[in-house]
Amino acid sequence: MLEQLESELARGRAAFEAATTLEELEAAQVSVLGRKSPFGQLQRGLGSLDEAQRRTVGARVNAVRAALTDTLEARRAAFRDAADSALLEADRIDLSLPGRRPRGGSLHPLTLVEREVIEVFVRLGFRVVQGPEIEDDWHNFQALNIPPDHPARTMKDTIYPAIPGRTDLVLRTETSAAQIRTMQSQPPPVHIVSPGRVYRRETSDATHLPVFHQVECLVVDEGITFAHLKGTLEIVAKALFGQSRRIRLGPAYFPFVEPGAEVGVSCFKCDGAGCRVCGNGWIELLGSGMVHPQVLENCGYDSERYTGFAFGMGVERVALLKYAIPDMRMLVENDARFLSQFEGVA
Ligand SMILES: [Zn+2]
């Protein structure tokens, strides 16, 4: 029996060492130490021995089982370590690889231009005000000297929201309504700029969109003259298009100003010589004028005491000029090839 025990010890160790996977090791355990294994039978055979023999052989049986179990556990631990190492190796991060940088995107050209325009006014001390996009007829038209039968309404036809109980609502055609609301809410002096989205009944083409953006400027105080308007326009034109720009004013009619003036800026491409961008050397940039006394009165201001000027520009138009964009519709088509060109602009 003792000889058999020694050979089972050798056979068992060899079987455990020979196992190449955890599954093979489990199978070896059954065949070496299992109830039906030769070792198991030897263990059961102890009962048929006399006491002296049982003591000698029993001690050896225990020693062999302990030795085999030790070998088995050592092998099992080795397999676990190997599995852990393989997992770690598979999960290993190569810290020497450069990271994948996500594309940061960019601001939309209209946002870039709107911010740039507003910044010019903020540097001059203007306050930024915003108003609702759904306006009532009085703030959008009547307060600005455009009564219900005025021909200017044809040019400024817009969208009329169907809201039960209200027949006087429009999607605003100018941000001027925000200026009216400001004048109604505070006494002079007023130095504000009102940016925002406006709506017109317009078929989109290379130079028109039915939804576009304006930035409008309003100054009201005692002693404001046309010279203040001209000086402010010049500062804004130079800030946006370069310090060597000149401006020119031509007469124009807008119901809410008197006198009104159309403002051209000398072409930043050809400096006034005439080119494809400008045609005759001048770029028509915006409309302006001295606030009509009736508009001041409509807002409760004393038009004998206060005067003011106002002008407004289209953000899309400035963007087209600044970035040489050939078609206004490109600004709203969301073509990534177009928009990605503004990465890193601001
Ligand atoms: Zn030009």
Side-chain angles (χ1 to χ4, degrees), residues 31-84:
S31 84
V32 174
L33 291 169
R35 271 174 47 79
K36 291 177 183 166
S37 67
F39 180 77
Q41 284 163 10
L42 285 169
Q43 215 169 341
R44 276 196 301 280
L46 284 177
S48 60
L49 299 176
D50 65 41
E51 203 183 324
Q53 279 178 316
R54 193 157 64 221
R55 194 169 298 149
T56 320
V57 179
R60 191 61 200 148
V61 163
N62 286 339
V64 167
R65 188 173 52 227
L68 284 173
T69 306
D70 282 353
T71 308
L72 175 69
E73 288 309 321
R75 287 293 289 157
R76 189 172 277 149
F79 279 123
R80 285 203 189 113
D81 286 352
D84 285 352

Side-chain angles (χ1 to χ4, degrees), residues 83-121:
D84 285 352
S85 305
L87 203 62
L88 284 174
E89 182 61 30
D91 276 356
R92 199 165 71 98
I93 296 167
D94 183 352
L95 296 175
S96 68
L97 270 179
R100 271 176 229 148
R101 189 189 294 266
R103 273 181 67 178
S106 59
L107 291 175
H108 192 278
L110 290 178
T111 307
L112 291 170
V113 170
E114 187 177 279
R115 287 190 180 180
E116 189 178 341
V117 173
I118 289 172
E119 210 182 288
V120 173
F121 285 102

Side-chain angles (χ1 to χ4, degrees), residues 127-140:
R127 189 161 63 86
V128 179
V129 301
Q130 295 195 322
E133 287 182 27
I134 299 178
E135 264 298 354
D136 57 55
D137 192 273
W138 191 84
H139 283 95
N140 193 77

